[in-house]
Amino acid sequence: QPCTFPCQCPSQPLQCPAGTSHVLDACGCCKVCARQLGELCSLHRPCDHHKGLYCDFSKIHRGSGICLAHEGATCDLLGRIYLNGESFQPTCKLQCICMDGAIGCIPLCSDDLRLPSPECPNPRRVKFHNKCCEEWVCEEGSENDFGAAMAVFREGPAQKPELNNLQENCLVQTTAWSECSRSCGMGISARVTNDNPQCRLEKETRLCMVRPCDFPMEKTKKGKKCVRTPRPRQSLHFEFSGCTSTRSYRPRFCGSCSDGRCCTPDLTSTVDVEFRCPEGDFFHRKMMFIKMCSCHYDCPRDNDIFLATYHRRMIGDHV
């Protein structure tokens, strides 16, 4: 199909399945749902390049091809092998993808945490028949329930806070950031906080990189067992989901230990990083920056967030 200018794109917002990227068509005009591994593709129906897929025109004629993945390592999840670039659902609550030996997953269910509030003093998650995800229901409670709901708000001369004044009276409660989901490369770190207008406990995530997977380890000095926080010699751009940070950084990474211990972040800060995608889109993500690492024997399991059993927490949260 020839390109027509000016561009004429559908007015309705694009609706794509979970985990599917929005990419530009061959004309560079309109966003379309990217084709996935094994699906038919064309110039106007491009493959999901964020997942390392490309359109192979050698197997099918008439301007169509099939989405294939660039060569990469397969993934083993509970004895089942997945190809590089393959999307799958291990449970109805997760949509996962294999990317060069590492598994990344996004939740299909809302994992927000609900704190008792005056509008909902007794929240409860209920599993409904024939539904995968639990849903919140608000049960009418007694005065004791209302007292428990008020425990998160400041005591003051004023009476019980009004709903439109919740944030001013909210006692902010925030957990420490969880350990990074990957020992090298880009991963995810999470925490729970009620620092929002509704004073409601919600899960918050940030990107994290303990060290690049190809980061050259410095030799330890004589008498020392660890190189804790080496820096790259040159500044670098972060890459996430096929997009690149608009500015360069020279972050600290965690080094290695020569005595068998693990070296992981101990003191970190959180910085807002802007990314630019090949399609021209910009987005912002919070990202962990390491201030100090520590060596210990409580080592994480390698690979992915889906199988992680590592429970160390990082100290500090300086935005």
Side-chain angles (χ1 to χ4, degrees), residues 31 112 138 149 172 209 214 256 277 287 315:
K31 290 290 183 68
D112 63 310
C138 292
V172 175
M209 184 183 290
D214 57 353
S256 60
C277 300
M287 185 161 182
I315 303 171

Side-chain angles (χ1 to χ4, degrees), residues 12-193:
Q12 298 296 326
L14 193 60
Q15 298 291 333
C16 300
T20 300
S21 303
H22 297 182
V23 296
L24 287 173
D25 59 18
C27 298
C29 276
C30 307
K31 290 290 183 68
V32 295
C33 297
R35 311 298 284 180
Q36 302 303 302
L37 184 69
E39 294 182 347
L40 294 177
C41 54
S42 67
L43 291 176
H44 289 277
R45 296 183 299 171
C47 299
D48 200 335
H49 64 85
H50 293 293
K51 299 177 181 176
L53 303 181
Y54 68 98
C55 194
D56 183 0
F57 293 99
S58 64
K59 304 183 186 301
I60 301 178
H61 302 290
R62 297 181 181 178
S64 294
I66 189 169
C67 287
L68 299 179
H70 293 288
E71 289 188 13
T74 59
C75 301
D76 183 354
L77 178 61
L78 303 177
R80 183 167 179 179
I81 303 299
Y82 296 95
L83 300 176
N84 178 39
E86 183 176 358
S87 297
F88 59 95
Q89 278 188 251
T91 72
C92 63
K93 296 183 178 181
L94 287 173
Q95 178 72 41
C96 301
I97 183 173
C98 171
M99 295 189 69
D100 198 16
I103 299 174
C105 300
I106 60 172
L108 300 178
C109 298
S110 174
D111 57 355
D112 63 310
L113 300 173
R114 189 155 190 172
L115 192 72
S117 65
E119 60 177 336
C120 185
N122 193 17
R124 190 165 62 94
R125 294 197 82 158
V126 176
K127 179 73 170 67
F128 290 98
H129 184 60
N130 294 331
K131 286 190 176 181
C132 175
C133 305
E134 296 87 359
E135 296 181 9
W136 284 109
V137 295
C138 292
E139 295 182 347
E140 293 185 5
S142 62
E143 292 183 2
N144 292 334
D145 293 328
F146 188 84
M150 302 308 297
V152 74
F153 299 106
R154 291 188 176 91
E155 295 181 4
Q159 298 298 318
K160 296 170 183 177
E162 298 295 333
L163 295 182
N164 59 2
N165 204 27
L166 291 179
Q167 191 173 31
E168 182 179 345
N169 293 280
C170 182
L171 288 174
V172 175
Q173 302 179 48
T174 304
T175 66
W177 288 103
S178 67
E179 190 68 22
C180 192
S181 61
R182 296 190 63 184
S183 58
C184 74
M186 194 69 78
I188 300 285
S189 177
R191 69 176 183 177
V192 176
T193 180

Side-chain angles (χ1 to χ4, degrees), residues 289-319:
F289 278 73
I290 297 171
K291 291 190 171 183
M292 185 172 66
C293 299
S294 64
C295 295
H296 54 85
Y297 289 104
D298 185 15
C299 299
R301 291 177 62 178
D302 287 335
N303 197 2
D304 63 86
I305 58 176
F306 187 72
L307 292 174
T309 58
Y310 192 51
H311 299 296
R312 285 176 61 88
R313 295 292 184 267
M314 288 172 278
I315 303 171
D317 177 38
H318 308 283
V319 178

